[in-house]
Amino acid sequence: MSKLKEKYLAIPEQIRIVTVLFAIFLIMFIFGRRLFIPKTFGEYGHYRAAAVDDIMQIGLVYAGHQACAECHDDVVAEKSQHMHKHVACENCHGPGYAHTQAPDEHPLTIPTDRSYCVLCHSYNPARPTGFPQIDPVTHNPDGACIDCHQPHAPQPPEVPEECGSCHERIVRTLGAGHHNSLPCTQCHDIKQEHKITPRDFLPTVPRTREFCGTCHSTKASSAKEIRRVDIVTHGENYFCGQCHFPHNPEVKI
Amino acid sequence: MDNNNTQDRRSFIKTCLKVLPAATLIPFLSIDAKAFAEEGYNPEDHNYAMGIDVHKCIGCGRCVRACKNENNVPDEPFYFRTWIERYIIPFEGETIVDSPDGGINGFGDAAVPEDAMMRTFFVPKICNHCAKPPCVQVCPVGATFTSRDGVVLVDNDYCIGCRYCIQACPYGARYLNPYTRTVDKCTFCYHRITKGLLPACVEACPTQARVFGEITDKSTPISYFRRFNEIQVLKPALNTEPKVFYAHLDGEVR
């Protein structure tokens, strides 16, 4: 015993202090690491693996488009046959997870207001052509949209005469240019069905030089004031539409 | 009696030796059990991606609304996990980009008259869930990470709110939640996709401008999307390898 003590005292004092300090530091480090590094940290990488589980446990708000069919199969069946087939039920009726669990306690909202449909259907030039768009200020301003359009099976109550309900930007462009006197049907052969299920009955699109030539060729028997070019040599090798935008033909030199 | 005792000691040591290797297996077993508790969901089997077709976007903002509802994103403007930008390229002058309230209430009249517009379109934006995420690298505590199924997540309990990752994200996809004081961002609706549901924004999109699925799987909408469209990603020069793919993306989009 005294031998050990002797040995211990033989160590220089500085080293003794440093060793003790080091030991304390080491214990604190190990203890601190335990304390501060969360349990599952580093299991799969430099993060807390349990966080993934935490995030997975977050509750649902939207039930998803499959969920409504269980109880409202009639509406689902009707909607799937019509133009709103890709518009999710919860898009209009709001998040419905709670409703699917307890329908009576959590009734869903029904958007009867004009302003709701307008979110998707008001005219905006940035929207793709073909998307049904109306000007909410002029389009039957006195009625609710659902007075005339069935929300689950939307269809115009009468076949729209105007192409503008879906191609408004083209109509406006056309109206502003030299071709403003030409009806759309002058250049596009269109079936009536195109206005109801557009993609199933696409109109024709003229892409030959001869087509424009029917009015603009020097040999054409069209109205006199229409300007003429020799369609054999003028801008040869290209379709006329590649230099003159057909909906707004400009002559730029 | 004595004999018996030694027998006992020997068999005790023997069983100890037998149990020892089995005992070392216990931690591995517990991981297996945990994976099982996740109802058979194995992150290793998945690799998610999103496709966005710019041609199809009508700018109705239903995705923004759905995202805020689903993920409890603060309703005030400027806090978004996903948002829509409107691009207007006029015949003359600079490109105009606006995003009133992230597009949550749609888009009103533009800053320029219609006949001055050369091109105009909507671009939905969202966290790109980069394969090489710059935000993850800068986190000082390891509170943001790429999960094993390729989704970049934030650990809300561990985040210290230092905002380094907000600075590091080249897409502006992160924000500081003013209520929790932690960073928040798109998770691809991790709590939905791990249950086999679609992210809320994809669910809400009326024109299928957004598609979502697995890039590993051959027959998913996203595989089709990547195969039959010319695909672009945002800021490819940064080499972040985004997993949000755009079709028909205009060169003006930043």
Side-chain angles (χ1 to χ4, degrees):
Chain A
M1 192 63 208
S2 60
K3 233 183 185 179
L4 250 176
K5 200 174 178 186
E6 239 170 63
K7 266 191 182 169
Y8 176 69
L9 288 174
I11 302 170
E13 195 185 357
Q14 301 92 314
I15 298 212
R16 263 187 282 152
I17 292 171
V18 166
T19 317
V20 169
L21 279 180
F22 182 73
I24 290 172
F25 176 77
L26 199 72
I27 289 163
M28 272 173 67
F29 178 77
I30 292 170
F31 184 71
R33 220 182 111 86
R34 279 243 158 151
L35 194 71
F36 290 120
I37 293 190
K39 234 180 172 181
T40 54
F41 202 91
E43 203 168 296
Y44 302 122
H46 189 65
Y47 63 90
R48 201 169 61 91
V52 178
D53 298 340
D54 291 353
I55 294 170
M56 275 167 75
Q57 306 302 305
I58 296 172
L60 296 174
V61 177
Y62 284 90
H65 58 273
Q66 307 95 332
C68 317
E70 195 187 313
C71 306
H72 298 288
D73 50 342
D74 50 336
V75 183
V76 172
E78 187 183 32
K79 189 170 78 77
S80 67
Q81 299 300 312
H82 294 89
M83 294 278 278
H84 275 169
K85 57 173 170 275
H86 296 310
V87 186
C89 314
E90 289 170 296
N91 204 328
C92 294
H93 292 296
Y97 184 72
H99 174 79
T100 58
Q101 302 303 306
D104 293 315
E105 284 159 46
H106 303 276
L108 289 177
T109 53
I110 295 183
T112 47
D113 204 55
R114 278 176 70 93
S115 62
Y116 193 74
C117 313
V118 161
L119 276 175
C120 290
H121 286 295
S122 64
Y123 171 64
N124 189 318
R127 291 196 160 146
T129 196
F131 187 80
Q133 296 160 66
I134 45 113
D135 179 351
V137 179
T138 56
H139 184 80
N140 307 303
D142 298 328
C145 312
I146 52 171
D147 290 350
C148 304
H149 303 283
Q150 227 290 349
H152 303 143
Q155 225 170 45
E158 55 195 70
V159 176
E161 281 312 307
E162 311 291 335
C163 312
S165 37
C166 304
H167 300 292
E168 179 69 11
R169 188 151 197 233
I170 295 177
V171 171
R172 292 189 192 203
T173 315
L174 191 75
H178 289 288
H179 274 165
N180 57 7
S181 61
L182 304 184
C184 311
T185 44
Q186 184 89 51
C187 304
H188 299 289
D189 271 338
I190 144 159
K191 293 195 172 70
Q192 276 308 89
E193 289 92 328
H194 173 66
K195 298 178 189 168
I196 296 157
T197 49
R199 288 188 189 80
D200 300 340
F201 298 92
L202 283 178
T204 58
V205 177
R207 287 211 177 81
T208 62
R209 294 168 56 87
E210 290 70 29
F211 174 79
C212 308
T214 55
C215 290
H216 288 290
S217 163
T218 37
K219 299 193 186 84
S221 54
S222 52
K224 263 207 197 112
E225 64 277 11
I226 296 178
R227 307 244 199 122
R228 309 302 170 109
V229 290
D230 181 346
I231 66 154
V232 180
T233 56
H234 176 81
E236 58 179 336
N237 276 339
Y238 293 98
F239 170 55
C240 320
Q242 284 174 276
C243 296
H244 309 287
F245 184 44
H247 297 146
N248 185 4
E250 292 155 324
V251 177
K252 286 184 181 156
I253 306 169
Chain B
M1 202 47 182
D2 243 355
N3 229 1
N4 246 350
N5 250 350
T6 35
Q7 273 283 331
D8 265 4
R9 206 174 297 150
R10 195 174 292 157
S11 65
F12 173 74
I13 291 168
K14 264 189 185 167
T15 30
C16 276
L17 282 176
K18 269 185 211 155
V19 167
L20 206 71
T24 54
L25 274 177
I26 285 173
F28 297 98
L29 285 175
S30 70
I31 289 173
D32 258 355
K34 201 169 122 216
F36 228 82
E38 289 164 10
E39 281 161 352
Y41 181 80
N42 184 2
E44 309 278 355
D45 297 345
H46 302 272
N47 190 4
Y48 297 109
M50 187 181 281
I52 296 179
D53 189 342
V54 175
H55 268 182
K56 287 188 178 166
C57 180
I58 60 168
C60 62
R62 298 305 80 210
C63 48
V64 187
R65 175 83 280 163
C67 174
K68 286 208 174 190
N69 286 346
E70 180 74 37
N71 296 299
N72 210 2
V73 176
D75 223 1
E76 299 95 322
F78 311 119
Y79 305 119
F80 300 107
R81 286 184 174 201
T82 184
W83 67 100
I84 306 173
E85 291 170 0
R86 168 167 62 186
Y87 277 74
I88 300 169
I89 296 120
F91 284 105
E92 276 163 35
E94 299 246 313
T95 300
I96 302 163
V97 188
D98 66 347
S99 182
D101 259 14
I104 197 161
N105 297 315
F107 291 77
D109 284 343
V112 289
E114 195 181 322
D115 48 12
M117 299 175 187
M118 182 156 65
R119 302 197 294 283
T120 169
F121 49 85
F122 298 109
V123 184
K125 293 271 183 84
I126 191 172
C127 167
N128 282 281
H129 293 277
C130 309
K132 294 186 188 162
C135 53
V136 169
Q137 286 166 23
V138 301
C139 181
V141 297
T144 183
F145 55 92
T146 309
S147 69
R148 285 179 294 161
D149 31 13
V151 182
V152 179
L153 297 173
V154 177
D155 180 350
N156 250 339
D157 286 347
Y158 204 36
C159 173
I160 56 171
C162 72
R163 301 170 213 214
Y164 277 173
C165 55
I166 300 180
Q167 294 287 321
C169 175
Y171 306 102
R174 289 168 170 259
Y175 69 95
L176 194 84
N177 188 315
Y179 301 109
T180 62
R181 310 293 302 162
T182 56
V183 168
D184 193 40
K185 67 178 278 295
C186 163
T187 61
F188 272 164
C189 282
Y190 199 71
H191 59 295
R192 296 178 66 84
I193 59 177
T194 49
K195 296 186 184 76
L197 296 170
L198 288 171
C201 57
V202 180
E203 186 70 53
C205 182
T207 58
Q208 300 192 329
R210 292 176 187 248
V211 294
F212 180 83
E214 315 243 3
I215 23 180
T216 42
D217 204 320
K218 283 284 180 294
S219 46
T220 55
I222 185 75
S223 318
Y224 183 92
F225 182 89
R226 296 214 305 158
R227 189 166 168 196
F228 296 106
N229 286 305
E230 290 79 18
I231 295 295
Q232 275 271 15
V233 293
L234 295 178
K235 304 191 183 176
L238 297 178
N239 216 18
T240 52
E241 296 181 13
K243 282 207 288 283
V244 174
F245 302 102
Y246 285 86
H248 306 118
L249 191 71
D250 195 280
E252 288 287 333
V253 178
R254 293 171 295 245

